[in-house]
Amino acid sequence: EEVEEEKDEGPQYGHIATETVEEGYTVAIIKPNVIKEGKVDEILAEMKASGIEILKKEERQLTEDEAREFYKHLEGEEYFEDLVKFMSSDPSYVLVLTKGQADDSIITDWRDMLGPPGVE
């Protein structure tokens, strides 16, 4: 099955990264800076209000290898090493999300909720 990934504009932009693992499901990572800023509950509440179901959530620190794998589509970018270091520097929230549908509307809905990259 094909894996579709959302582009990330580097460590200074955006709060969450996503990767589609199966139709109707996506893995999202709430980045370390958001946890430090205490915004996790606000984001989780917004997800729930948007009809996004959290199937699994785990707060944990990514290893550099895990960050490299998740962001492998950005490997050629100038900021790749900084992004890997940033994402493995402190705990993140790893989430599995769905809307309970057998299509990829979770990705569209999730991106609509987040807004454009770089917007805080």
Side-chain angles (χ1 to χ4, degrees):
E1 187 160 309
E2 190 172 317
V3 174
E4 177 183 335
E5 297 171 341
E6 179 176 323
K7 297 285 186 199
D8 191 293
E9 299 298 324
Q12 72 276 26
Y13 299 109
H15 292 304
I16 301 172
T18 63
E19 178 181 331
T20 302
V21 292
E22 190 174 313
E23 287 185 27
Y25 299 91
T26 192
V27 173
I29 300 176
I30 300 177
K31 296 179 179 183
N33 60 309
V34 177
I35 293 174
K36 285 182 180 179
E37 294 167 8
K39 295 182 180 179
V40 173
D41 290 339
E42 176 184 333
I43 290 171
L44 296 178
E46 191 171 339
M47 287 176 175
K48 187 175 181 179
S50 297
I52 295 173
E53 180 183 355
I54 301 168
L55 298 176
K56 184 176 181 179
K57 67 180 176 179
E58 178 182 12
E59 182 177 353
R60 67 186 200 79
Q61 191 161 340
L62 298 176
T63 66
E64 283 194 15
D65 286 343
E66 289 169 330
R68 284 180 198 288
E69 179 63 25
F70 191 82
Y71 289 103
K72 67 183 172 189
H73 62 286
L74 299 174
E75 195 168 18
E77 297 293 336
E78 182 178 306
Y79 55 80
F80 180 73
E81 289 302 319
D82 288 337
L83 177 61
V84 168
K85 287 177 185 167
F86 170 73
M87 290 302 295
S88 59
S89 66
D90 286 302
S92 297
Y93 255 82
V94 180
L95 309 166
V96 177
L97 308 175
T98 189
K99 286 197 98 168
Q101 300 165 356
D103 61 21
D104 65 357
S105 70
I106 181 64
I107 298 298
T108 303
D109 294 346
W110 178 238
R111 289 179 180 162
D112 288 347
M113 189 187 105
L114 290 178
V119 176
E120 302 262 337

